[in-house]
Amino acid sequence: MANREIHVLVVGGSWAGVTAVNELLGLSHVAYSRLHVTLVEQRTHYFHRTGVIRGLVDQKYADKMFIPYQRLFMDGNKPSPHHRLVCAKLTHIYEHSIEVEGGERIFYDYLIIATGAAYTSLPVTQSIDEKECREKYQKMRNAIEAARSILFVGGGAVGVGMCCEIAEMHPKKLLMLAHARDRLLNEDLSDNFSNTAEVHMKKMGIDLILGETVLSASIHDDDDDHSTLTHDEWVVKPQIVHTKSGRRIPCDLVIWTTGARPITDFMNSLLPSNEKHPLVDVNSGQINVRPTLQLADLRYPYIFAVGDVNSLPFTEKYAPNAVLQAKHAVSNLRELMNESYDYRIKVSPTMAAEATASAQLAPYVGTRNTQVVVALGKSNEISSTILAKLSSWAGGSHRGRKYLLDKAEKMLNV
Ligand SMILES: Cc1cc2nc3c(=O)[nH]c(=O)nc-3n(C[C@H](O)[C@H](O)[C@H](O)COP(=O)(O)OP(=O)(O)OC[C@H]3O[C@@H](n4cnc5c(N)ncnc54)[C@H](O)[C@@H]3O)c2cc1C
């Protein structure tokens, strides 16, 4: 390995980013003493968004969802001198530096992008300040409490899970779930899986509206107020929601659980080798990666993208997969470091491609059989495989859903 300092920047401090940091810190303890690891995260704290559903109905759980990052970089009782957390929003990426809000530039040899995806329709996930985040969360809880009838739009795992948690907590509310497809959940899950969810939800008294596309804005149901409401407002007010086929659905609150969008606006400052092959996919908004999890553009072999932000299929958009990808990316990054290739000097696409080839990086194969568990309330769930069921039980699901909170605490050294 090169006898120079190597700076690795990781942007995004959640499943993918924190795992990458932990892996890199592990390397710095064994053989790479001149490795400097920096995590850039816009939030002042880790927010456990994987547990948003549970925290909506369980205040004690919600209080545990905010975890400080400080322990991540502790070396015994002292903060590590080589590694650091920069609490700032990434605004631009350049060839060997990034810029964060406020204008600070940070140099890097290697970059791992793990900025995930934004759910604008879940207001709590939009705040980066802990106080504001708690307030927004409380407002969401108040809205659920106040509404007598709620329409959920989107029958993926988040919509189904959230609807069931609320149905269990508030059995007297009228709950409806509209989904554009004729069956619940995503295509990667079997018909049997979605039928079981359907039967269970109906038993809970949830009104399923399948095969109906909800139009994006609903209209206040007041005589004197015909303004429209957007997805990201959890406003409790009698309103009428329209579907594409002309159906009108009256309710007090609409909760959209669709529309996750990868966070990649900072990519605009990085030039692709060829304008015909953009770094970010125009339709999905995801960062194009090759199987090694490096950017697809051969000019940037020293930049990786992992987790919800990259172009791997949606069967990969789960927390455990983000973890596996991050481990894989760091393992490949290690191979590049071993090649002693200094990308600061040689950045021609041909030379970069040659260096990557000689480092023999491994392709990420992912999980062929994703172990999906969808919670249907606190004590019920459906599992895609027997293995998923067993590991869910081993993880203590029968004691109340944790939504991986224990795993997040472990990852952050709590
Ligand atoms: C409501 C809900 C429930 C879910 N339930 C489950 C479940 O039960 N099981 C499961 O496996 N998966 C679940 N998921 C999916 C899972 O949460 C994601 O797959 C996982 O969080 C992806 O991790 P990530 O690290 O790629 O990105 P994210 O978790 O999205 O994290 C991205 C991080 O990057 C930071 N960031 C973003 N932009 C910037 C910037 N410009 N500058 C600095 N920092 C930035 C963000 O603040 C955030 O900390 C759920 C998702 C949601 C929304």
Side-chain angles (χ1 to χ4, degrees):
M1 187 202 154
N3 199 22
R4 63 183 169 87
E5 287 188 351
I6 294 190
H7 292 260
V8 184
L9 268 185
V10 178
V11 187
S14 182
W15 291 107
V18 173
T19 302
V21 166
N22 279 330
E23 294 289 302
L24 289 161
L25 294 181
L27 291 184
S28 78
H29 293 146
V30 286
Y32 301 80
S33 57
R34 305 202 70 194
L35 187 62
H36 293 247
V37 182
T38 302
L39 172 64
V40 177
E41 164 59 48
Q42 60 186 353
R43 288 181 201 276
T44 51
H45 55 282
Y46 166 84
F47 175 65
H48 187 60
R49 73 174 209 163
T50 313
V52 161
I53 295 173
R54 180 106 280 270
L56 267 181
V57 292
D58 183 341
Q59 179 68 57
K60 269 197 195 145
Y61 179 95
D63 287 341
K64 293 189 200 153
M65 289 169 66
F66 300 84
I67 306 175
Y69 283 109
Q70 275 67 20
R71 294 189 60 82
L72 199 55
F73 291 111
M74 291 302 267
D75 190 358
N77 288 330
K78 297 181 298 213
S80 165
H82 288 324
H83 316 299
R84 65 177 180 138
L85 168 71
V86 174
C87 181
K89 181 177 177 177
L90 167 69
T91 53
H92 298 91
I93 294 184
Y94 302 103
E95 288 207 343
H96 281 292
S97 65
I98 64 160
E99 189 176 319
V100 296
E101 213 164 56
E104 187 192 345
R105 281 246 188 166
I106 308 171
F107 167 83
Y108 67 86
D109 291 287
Y110 296 95
L111 173 66
I112 299 181
I113 306 169
T115 46
Y119 269 81
T120 49
S121 50
L122 298 178
V124 65
T125 61
Q126 296 307 306
S127 305
I128 55 167
D129 169 75
E130 179 173 348
K131 186 167 172 279
E132 189 191 273
C133 196
R134 285 181 187 273
E135 283 166 7
K136 282 200 176 163
Y137 217 4
Q138 190 53 50
K139 274 193 184 158
M140 287 165 73
R141 273 189 226 103
N142 294 347
I144 290 170
E145 204 59 59
R148 279 168 308 163
S149 57
I150 306 176
L151 172 69
F152 294 84
V153 183
V158 174
V160 168
M162 196 181 287
C163 187
C164 289
E165 283 275 1
I166 294 172
E168 200 173 76
M169 195 71 178
H170 302 280
K172 294 211 169 117
K173 289 191 195 295
L174 169 62
L175 301 185
M176 298 161 278
L177 185 142
H179 190 47
R181 288 157 47 87
D182 291 327
R183 45 155 274 193
L184 290 171
L185 300 161
N186 292 332
E187 301 119 64
D188 59 317
L189 299 168
S190 69
D191 285 347
N192 192 20
F193 194 85
S194 62
N195 289 342
T196 313
E198 203 175 312
V199 169
H200 187 89
M201 291 180 86
K202 283 183 179 157
K203 255 196 220 158
M204 291 179 96
I206 298 163
D207 188 3
L208 294 178
I209 306 166
L210 300 177
E212 287 277 3
T213 304
V214 172
L215 298 177
S216 68
S218 55
I219 298 174
H220 288 179
D221 194 23
D222 292 339
D223 285 338
D224 54 348
D225 183 357
H226 289 283
S227 58
T228 54
L229 296 170
T230 56
H231 299 194
D232 46 356
E233 292 171 284
W234 280 37
V235 177
V236 181
K237 193 160 188 171
Q239 51 196 286
I240 307 278
V241 172
H242 295 255
T243 69
K244 211 169 166 182
S245 72
R247 186 162 166 181
R248 291 158 56 88
I249 309 169
C251 60
D252 291 337
L253 171 66
V254 186
I255 298 179
W256 288 79
T257 61
T258 57
R261 187 84 189 156
I263 303 174
T264 61
D265 43 341
F266 42 77
M267 293 293 285
N268 294 339
S269 44
L270 200 62
L271 295 178
S273 313
N274 181 339
E275 291 295 335
K276 285 189 190 145
H277 301 290
L279 300 172
V280 174
D281 183 86
V282 187
N283 297 317
S284 67
Q286 295 165 328
I287 298 178
N288 289 317
V289 290
R290 39 186 152 146
T292 54
L293 304 180
Q294 296 160 289
L295 295 200
D297 193 322
L298 293 183
R299 180 171 173 177
Y300 302 108
Y302 50 91
I303 305 182
F304 294 78
V306 287
D308 279 8
V309 77
N310 72 18
S311 57
L312 293 194
F314 71 89
T315 47
E316 278 290 323
K317 305 306 173 198
Y318 294 97
N321 302 66
V323 167
L324 289 178
Q325 289 176 38
K327 288 185 178 177
H328 192 86
V330 173
S331 155
N332 276 343
L333 195 154
R334 181 183 190 170
E335 291 299 320
L336 289 177
M337 289 196 297
N338 289 345
E339 278 299 305
S340 307
Y341 196 82
D342 190 342
Y343 289 106
R344 283 175 296 184
I345 303 165
K346 304 165 189 169
V347 288
S348 96
T350 323
M351 293 178 92
E354 275 169 14
T356 306
S358 64
Q360 294 188 340
L361 304 187
Y364 173 77
V365 281
T367 35
R368 278 193 191 86
N369 211 349
T370 306
Q371 311 294 328
V372 179
V373 176
V374 176
L376 306 172
K378 195 168 178 180
S379 44
N380 285 299
E381 65 185 24
I382 34 174
S383 324
S384 61
T385 62
I386 293 284
L387 197 62
K389 189 183 238 110
L390 290 177
S391 64
S392 169
W393 274 76
S397 68
H398 54 293
R399 292 193 298 274
R401 297 237 123 244
K402 293 186 194 139
Y403 286 94
L404 306 176
L405 182 58
D406 49 341
K407 293 215 163 42
E409 286 169 340
K410 201 165 162 211
M411 174 173 91
L412 288 148
N413 292 333
V414 174

mmCIF file of all heavy atoms in Angstrom, residues 335-369:
data_model
loop_
_atom_site.group_PDB
_atom_site.id
_atom_site.type_symbol
_atom_site.label_atom_id
_atom_site.label_comp_id
_atom_site.label_asym_id
_atom_site.label_seq_id
_atom_site.Cartn_x
_atom_site.Cartn_y
_atom_site.Cartn_z
ATOM 1 N N GLU A 335 -8.792 -2.962 -2.405
ATOM 2 C CA GLU A 335 -7.987 -3.484 -3.522
ATOM 3 C C GLU A 335 -7.343 -2.336 -4.295
ATOM 4 O O GLU A 335 -6.182 -2.422 -4.696
ATOM 5 C CB GLU A 335 -8.871 -4.296 -4.481
ATOM 6 C CG GLU A 335 -9.374 -5.611 -3.925
ATOM 7 C CD GLU A 335 -8.224 -6.546 -3.564
ATOM 8 O OE1 GLU A 335 -7.244 -6.594 -4.318
ATOM 9 O OE2 GLU A 335 -8.316 -7.206 -2.513
ATOM 10 N N LEU A 336 -8.095 -1.274 -4.497
ATOM 11 C CA LEU A 336 -7.537 -0.124 -5.218
ATOM 12 C C LEU A 336 -6.394 0.506 -4.421
ATOM 13 O O LEU A 336 -5.364 0.885 -4.975
ATOM 14 C CB LEU A 336 -8.616 0.930 -5.479
ATOM 15 C CG LEU A 336 -9.692 0.584 -6.506
ATOM 16 C CD1 LEU A 336 -10.715 1.707 -6.600
ATOM 17 C CD2 LEU A 336 -9.085 0.343 -7.880
ATOM 18 N N MET A 337 -6.577 0.612 -3.113
ATOM 19 C CA MET A 337 -5.514 1.191 -2.275
ATOM 20 C C MET A 337 -4.266 0.317 -2.340
ATOM 21 O O MET A 337 -3.147 0.815 -2.391
ATOM 22 C CB MET A 337 -5.978 1.303 -0.819
ATOM 23 C CG MET A 337 -7.027 2.370 -0.597
ATOM 24 S SD MET A 337 -7.222 2.821 1.139
ATOM 25 C CE MET A 337 -7.770 1.317 1.895
ATOM 26 N N ASN A 338 -4.479 -1.003 -2.380
ATOM 27 C CA ASN A 338 -3.343 -1.919 -2.438
ATOM 28 C C ASN A 338 -2.537 -1.761 -3.723
ATOM 29 O O ASN A 338 -1.347 -2.031 -3.759
ATOM 30 C CB ASN A 338 -3.811 -3.372 -2.336
ATOM 31 C CG ASN A 338 -4.289 -3.684 -0.936
ATOM 32 O OD1 ASN A 338 -4.007 -2.924 -0.002
ATOM 33 N ND2 ASN A 338 -5.020 -4.766 -0.780
ATOM 34 N N GLU A 339 -3.230 -1.340 -4.774
ATOM 35 C CA GLU A 339 -2.547 -1.129 -6.062
ATOM 36 C C GLU A 339 -1.676 0.121 -6.042
ATOM 37 O O GLU A 339 -0.977 0.416 -6.999
ATOM 38 C CB GLU A 339 -3.590 -0.982 -7.177
ATOM 39 C CG GLU A 339 -4.108 -2.291 -7.704
ATOM 40 C CD GLU A 339 -3.009 -3.146 -8.312
ATOM 41 O OE1 GLU A 339 -2.314 -2.647 -9.211
ATOM 42 O OE2 GLU A 339 -2.836 -4.294 -7.858
ATOM 43 N N SER A 340 -1.770 0.896 -4.952
ATOM 44 C CA SER A 340 -0.988 2.133 -4.789
ATOM 45 C C SER A 340 -1.240 3.117 -5.926
ATOM 46 O O SER A 340 -0.362 3.867 -6.329
ATOM 47 C CB SER A 340 0.511 1.855 -4.741
ATOM 48 O OG SER A 340 0.773 0.901 -3.789
ATOM 49 N N TYR A 341 -2.382 3.060 -6.489
ATOM 50 C CA TYR A 341 -2.673 3.907 -7.640
ATOM 51 C C TYR A 341 -3.090 5.290 -7.155
ATOM 52 O O TYR A 341 -4.034 5.426 -6.374
ATOM 53 C CB TYR A 341 -3.798 3.254 -8.449
ATOM 54 C CG TYR A 341 -3.917 3.832 -9.824
ATOM 55 C CD1 TYR A 341 -3.074 3.392 -10.837
ATOM 56 C CD2 TYR A 341 -4.827 4.835 -10.101
ATOM 57 C CE1 TYR A 341 -3.167 3.925 -12.107
ATOM 58 C CE2 TYR A 341 -4.921 5.368 -11.363
ATOM 59 C CZ TYR A 341 -4.089 4.908 -12.351
ATOM 60 O OH TYR A 341 -4.176 5.439 -13.604
ATOM 61 N N ASP A 342 -2.370 6.311 -7.594
ATOM 62 C CA ASP A 342 -2.665 7.655 -7.103
ATOM 63 C C ASP A 342 -3.550 8.390 -8.115
ATOM 64 O O ASP A 342 -3.077 8.919 -9.110
ATOM 65 C CB ASP A 342 -1.357 8.425 -6.881
ATOM 66 C CG ASP A 342 -1.608 9.725 -6.139
ATOM 67 O OD1 ASP A 342 -2.772 10.172 -6.105
ATOM 68 O OD2 ASP A 342 -0.643 10.294 -5.603
ATOM 69 N N TYR A 343 -4.836 8.410 -7.832
ATOM 70 C CA TYR A 343 -5.780 9.004 -8.785
ATOM 71 C C TYR A 343 -5.655 10.520 -8.879
ATOM 72 O O TYR A 343 -6.189 11.141 -9.771
ATOM 73 C CB TYR A 343 -7.223 8.631 -8.415
ATOM 74 C CG TYR A 343 -7.516 7.185 -8.671
ATOM 75 C CD1 TYR A 343 -7.628 6.287 -7.622
ATOM 76 C CD2 TYR A 343 -7.652 6.731 -9.966
ATOM 77 C CE1 TYR A 343 -7.878 4.958 -7.867
ATOM 78 C CE2 TYR A 343 -7.906 5.396 -10.219
ATOM 79 C CZ TYR A 343 -8.008 4.513 -9.168
ATOM 80 O OH TYR A 343 -8.253 3.200 -9.408
ATOM 81 N N ARG A 344 -4.940 11.109 -7.908
ATOM 82 C CA ARG A 344 -4.780 12.568 -7.972
ATOM 83 C C ARG A 344 -3.884 12.956 -9.141
ATOM 84 O O ARG A 344 -3.971 14.022 -9.677
ATOM 85 C CB ARG A 344 -4.174 13.094 -6.675
ATOM 86 C CG ARG A 344 -5.179 13.168 -5.563
ATOM 87 C CD ARG A 344 -4.527 13.563 -4.287
ATOM 88 N NE ARG A 344 -3.568 12.560 -3.831
ATOM 89 C CZ ARG A 344 -2.910 12.638 -2.687
ATOM 90 N NH1 ARG A 344 -3.073 13.670 -1.916
ATOM 91 N NH2 ARG A 344 -2.080 11.693 -2.323
ATOM 92 N N ILE A 345 -3.002 12.013 -9.516
ATOM 93 C CA ILE A 345 -2.049 12.328 -10.581
ATOM 94 C C ILE A 345 -2.557 11.798 -11.915
ATOM 95 O O ILE A 345 -2.552 12.490 -12.913
ATOM 96 C CB ILE A 345 -0.671 11.706 -10.255
ATOM 97 C CG1 ILE A 345 -0.210 12.239 -8.894
ATOM 98 C CG2 ILE A 345 0.348 12.047 -11.340
ATOM 99 C CD1 ILE A 345 0.929 11.446 -8.314
ATOM 100 N N LYS A 346 -3.018 10.558 -11.915
ATOM 101 C CA LYS A 346 -3.399 9.943 -13.191
ATOM 102 C C LYS A 346 -4.922 9.815 -13.260
ATOM 103 O O LYS A 346 -5.483 8.895 -12.688
ATOM 104 C CB LYS A 346 -2.762 8.555 -13.287
ATOM 105 C CG LYS A 346 -1.268 8.563 -13.124
ATOM 106 C CD LYS A 346 -0.794 7.150 -12.872
ATOM 107 C CE LYS A 346 0.676 7.147 -12.490
ATOM 108 N NZ LYS A 346 1.108 5.849 -11.989
ATOM 109 N N VAL A 347 -5.532 10.722 -13.931
ATOM 110 C CA VAL A 347 -6.988 10.637 -13.991
ATOM 111 C C VAL A 347 -7.508 10.417 -15.406
ATOM 112 O O VAL A 347 -8.686 10.554 -15.648
ATOM 113 C CB VAL A 347 -7.688 11.879 -13.377
ATOM 114 C CG1 VAL A 347 -7.569 11.886 -11.878
ATOM 115 C CG2 VAL A 347 -7.164 13.155 -13.992
ATOM 116 N N SER A 348 -6.616 10.092 -16.352
ATOM 117 C CA SER A 348 -7.147 9.876 -17.702
ATOM 118 C C SER A 348 -8.018 8.622 -17.662
ATOM 119 O O SER A 348 -7.686 7.635 -16.985
ATOM 120 C CB SER A 348 -6.019 9.718 -18.710
ATOM 121 O OG SER A 348 -5.748 8.358 -18.931
ATOM 122 N N PRO A 349 -9.168 8.644 -18.357
ATOM 123 C CA PRO A 349 -10.087 7.508 -18.291
ATOM 124 C C PRO A 349 -9.417 6.184 -18.627
ATOM 125 O O PRO A 349 -9.657 5.164 -17.983
ATOM 126 C CB PRO A 349 -11.157 7.863 -19.327
ATOM 127 C CG PRO A 349 -11.094 9.349 -19.453
ATOM 128 C CD PRO A 349 -9.682 9.745 -19.180
ATOM 129 N N THR A 350 -8.507 6.187 -19.612
ATOM 130 C CA THR A 350 -7.872 4.923 -20.004
ATOM 131 C C THR A 350 -7.017 4.386 -18.867
ATOM 132 O O THR A 350 -7.092 3.197 -18.513
ATOM 133 C CB THR A 350 -6.958 5.169 -21.232
ATOM 134 O OG1 THR A 350 -7.584 6.115 -22.061
ATOM 135 C CG2 THR A 350 -6.654 3.897 -21.959
ATOM 136 N N MET A 351 -6.219 5.270 -18.281
ATOM 137 C CA MET A 351 -5.338 4.804 -17.207
ATOM 138 C C MET A 351 -6.138 4.377 -15.987
ATOM 139 O O MET A 351 -5.813 3.394 -15.324
ATOM 140 C CB MET A 351 -4.350 5.907 -16.839
ATOM 141 C CG MET A 351 -3.382 6.199 -17.954
ATOM 142 S SD MET A 351 -2.297 7.535 -17.504
ATOM 143 C CE MET A 351 -0.945 6.649 -16.808
ATOM 144 N N ALA A 352 -7.194 5.121 -15.721
ATOM 145 C CA ALA A 352 -8.031 4.773 -14.577
ATOM 146 C C ALA A 352 -8.645 3.391 -14.789
ATOM 147 O O ALA A 352 -8.669 2.564 -13.874
ATOM 148 C CB ALA A 352 -9.121 5.817 -14.402
ATOM 149 N N ALA A 353 -9.114 3.134 -16.007
ATOM 150 C CA ALA A 353 -9.727 1.836 -16.302
ATOM 151 C C ALA A 353 -8.695 0.722 -16.156
ATOM 152 O O ALA A 353 -8.978 -0.346 -15.615
ATOM 153 C CB ALA A 353 -10.294 1.848 -17.715
ATOM 154 N N GLU A 354 -7.466 1.000 -16.622
ATOM 155 C CA GLU A 354 -6.410 -0.023 -16.530
ATOM 156 C C GLU A 354 -6.099 -0.356 -15.078
ATOM 157 O O GLU A 354 -5.935 -1.504 -14.698
ATOM 158 C CB GLU A 354 -5.138 0.498 -17.210
ATOM 159 C CG GLU A 354 -5.155 0.241 -18.711
ATOM 160 C CD GLU A 354 -4.042 0.994 -19.423
ATOM 161 O OE1 GLU A 354 -3.123 1.490 -18.752
ATOM 162 O OE2 GLU A 354 -4.128 1.094 -20.665
ATOM 163 N N ALA A 355 -6.018 0.706 -14.265
ATOM 164 C CA ALA A 355 -5.705 0.481 -12.852
ATOM 165 C C ALA A 355 -6.789 -0.339 -12.180
ATOM 166 O O ALA A 355 -6.519 -1.238 -11.394
ATOM 167 C CB ALA A 355 -5.561 1.816 -12.138
ATOM 168 N N THR A 356 -8.034 -0.039 -12.500
ATOM 169 C CA THR A 356 -9.141 -0.784 -11.903
ATOM 170 C C THR A 356 -9.077 -2.240 -12.334
ATOM 171 O O THR A 356 -9.278 -3.151 -11.532
ATOM 172 C CB THR A 356 -10.490 -0.165 -12.327
ATOM 173 O OG1 THR A 356 -10.459 1.204 -12.007
ATOM 174 C CG2 THR A 356 -11.640 -0.812 -11.614
ATOM 175 N N ALA A 357 -8.771 -2.452 -13.621
ATOM 176 C CA ALA A 357 -8.711 -3.826 -14.121
ATOM 177 C C ALA A 357 -7.612 -4.591 -13.405
ATOM 178 O O ALA A 357 -7.801 -5.734 -12.983
ATOM 179 C CB ALA A 357 -8.471 -3.807 -15.629
ATOM 180 N N SER A 358 -6.462 -3.950 -13.211
ATOM 181 C CA SER A 358 -5.363 -4.688 -12.575
ATOM 182 C C SER A 358 -5.664 -4.958 -11.104
ATOM 183 O O SER A 358 -5.131 -5.891 -10.515
ATOM 184 C CB SER A 358 -4.048 -3.931 -12.735
ATOM 185 O OG SER A 358 -4.134 -2.711 -12.055
ATOM 186 N N ALA A 359 -6.523 -4.165 -10.503
ATOM 187 C CA ALA A 359 -6.863 -4.414 -9.094
ATOM 188 C C ALA A 359 -7.871 -5.558 -8.955
ATOM 189 O O ALA A 359 -8.125 -6.015 -7.848
ATOM 190 C CB ALA A 359 -7.438 -3.141 -8.473
ATOM 191 N N GLN A 360 -8.433 -6.014 -10.087
ATOM 192 C CA GLN A 360 -9.358 -7.147 -10.088
ATOM 193 C C GLN A 360 -10.461 -7.024 -9.035
ATOM 194 O O GLN A 360 -10.522 -7.775 -8.064
ATOM 195 C CB GLN A 360 -8.592 -8.450 -9.881
ATOM 196 C CG GLN A 360 -7.687 -8.714 -11.059
ATOM 197 C CD GLN A 360 -7.048 -10.068 -10.990
ATOM 198 O OE1 GLN A 360 -6.971 -10.685 -9.944
ATOM 199 N NE2 GLN A 360 -6.589 -10.530 -12.128
ATOM 200 N N LEU A 361 -11.283 -6.047 -9.237
ATOM 201 C CA LEU A 361 -12.362 -5.815 -8.279
ATOM 202 C C LEU A 361 -13.499 -6.817 -8.498
ATOM 203 O O LEU A 361 -13.799 -7.196 -9.627
ATOM 204 C CB LEU A 361 -12.892 -4.388 -8.432
ATOM 205 C CG LEU A 361 -11.838 -3.288 -8.298
ATOM 206 C CD1 LEU A 361 -12.502 -1.925 -8.288
ATOM 207 C CD2 LEU A 361 -10.995 -3.474 -7.050
ATOM 208 N N ALA A 362 -14.123 -7.193 -7.385
ATOM 209 C CA ALA A 362 -15.179 -8.215 -7.479
ATOM 210 C C ALA A 362 -16.535 -7.565 -7.730
ATOM 211 O O ALA A 362 -16.828 -6.502 -7.177
ATOM 212 C CB ALA A 362 -15.219 -8.985 -6.171
ATOM 213 N N PRO A 363 -17.369 -8.197 -8.563
ATOM 214 C CA PRO A 363 -18.735 -7.668 -8.741
ATOM 215 C C PRO A 363 -19.599 -7.984 -7.519
ATOM 216 O O PRO A 363 -19.409 -9.015 -6.877
ATOM 217 C CB PRO A 363 -19.239 -8.417 -9.978
ATOM 218 C CG PRO A 363 -18.430 -9.666 -10.036
ATOM 219 C CD PRO A 363 -17.107 -9.379 -9.379
ATOM 220 N N TYR A 364 -20.506 -7.091 -7.245
ATOM 221 C CA TYR A 364 -21.459 -7.314 -6.136
ATOM 222 C C TYR A 364 -22.569 -8.222 -6.660
ATOM 223 O O TYR A 364 -23.197 -7.903 -7.668
ATOM 224 C CB TYR A 364 -22.017 -5.964 -5.681
ATOM 225 C CG TYR A 364 -23.132 -6.063 -4.664
ATOM 226 C CD1 TYR A 364 -22.857 -6.347 -3.328
ATOM 227 C CD2 TYR A 364 -24.461 -5.870 -5.033
ATOM 228 C CE1 TYR A 364 -23.874 -6.445 -2.390
ATOM 229 C CE2 TYR A 364 -25.486 -5.964 -4.105
ATOM 230 C CZ TYR A 364 -25.178 -6.247 -2.790
ATOM 231 O OH TYR A 364 -26.196 -6.344 -1.858
ATOM 232 N N VAL A 365 -22.790 -9.340 -5.992
ATOM 233 C CA VAL A 365 -23.836 -10.233 -6.498
ATOM 234 C C VAL A 365 -25.157 -10.031 -5.774
ATOM 235 O O VAL A 365 -26.217 -10.410 -6.259
ATOM 236 C CB VAL A 365 -23.436 -11.729 -6.430
ATOM 237 C CG1 VAL A 365 -22.533 -12.099 -7.563
ATOM 238 C CG2 VAL A 365 -22.829 -12.073 -5.097
ATOM 239 N N GLY A 366 -25.113 -9.424 -4.605
ATOM 240 C CA GLY A 366 -26.353 -9.144 -3.879
ATOM 241 C C GLY A 366 -26.973 -10.401 -3.317
ATOM 242 O O GLY A 366 -26.362 -11.466 -3.300
ATOM 243 N N THR A 367 -28.194 -10.240 -2.863
ATOM 244 C CA THR A 367 -28.882 -11.382 -2.279
ATOM 245 C C THR A 367 -29.865 -11.890 -3.317
ATOM 246 O O THR A 367 -30.770 -11.167 -3.704
ATOM 247 C CB THR A 367 -29.649 -10.962 -1.001
ATOM 248 O OG1 THR A 367 -30.136 -9.651 -1.213
ATOM 249 C CG2 THR A 367 -28.771 -10.977 0.216
ATOM 250 N N ARG A 368 -29.667 -13.117 -3.776
ATOM 251 C CA ARG A 368 -30.547 -13.638 -4.830
ATOM 252 C C ARG A 368 -31.969 -13.805 -4.313
ATOM 253 O O ARG A 368 -32.934 -13.574 -4.980
ATOM 254 C CB ARG A 368 -30.021 -14.989 -5.316
ATOM 255 C CG ARG A 368 -28.915 -14.764 -6.308
ATOM 256 C CD ARG A 368 -28.556 -16.015 -7.063
ATOM 257 N NE ARG A 368 -27.334 -15.738 -7.787
ATOM 258 C CZ ARG A 368 -26.128 -15.870 -7.268
ATOM 259 N NH1 ARG A 368 -25.979 -16.300 -6.050
ATOM 260 N NH2 ARG A 368 -25.055 -15.573 -7.973
ATOM 261 N N ASN A 369 -32.069 -14.164 -3.048
ATOM 262 C CA ASN A 369 -33.375 -14.415 -2.461
ATOM 263 C C ASN A 369 -33.575 -13.460 -1.293
ATOM 264 O O ASN A 369 -33.246 -13.765 -0.159
ATOM 265 C CB ASN A 369 -33.380 -15.868 -1.956
ATOM 266 C CG ASN A 369 -34.752 -16.456 -2.024
ATOM 267 O OD1 ASN A 369 -35.712 -15.732 -2.246
ATOM 268 N ND2 ASN A 369 -34.833 -17.750 -1.820
#
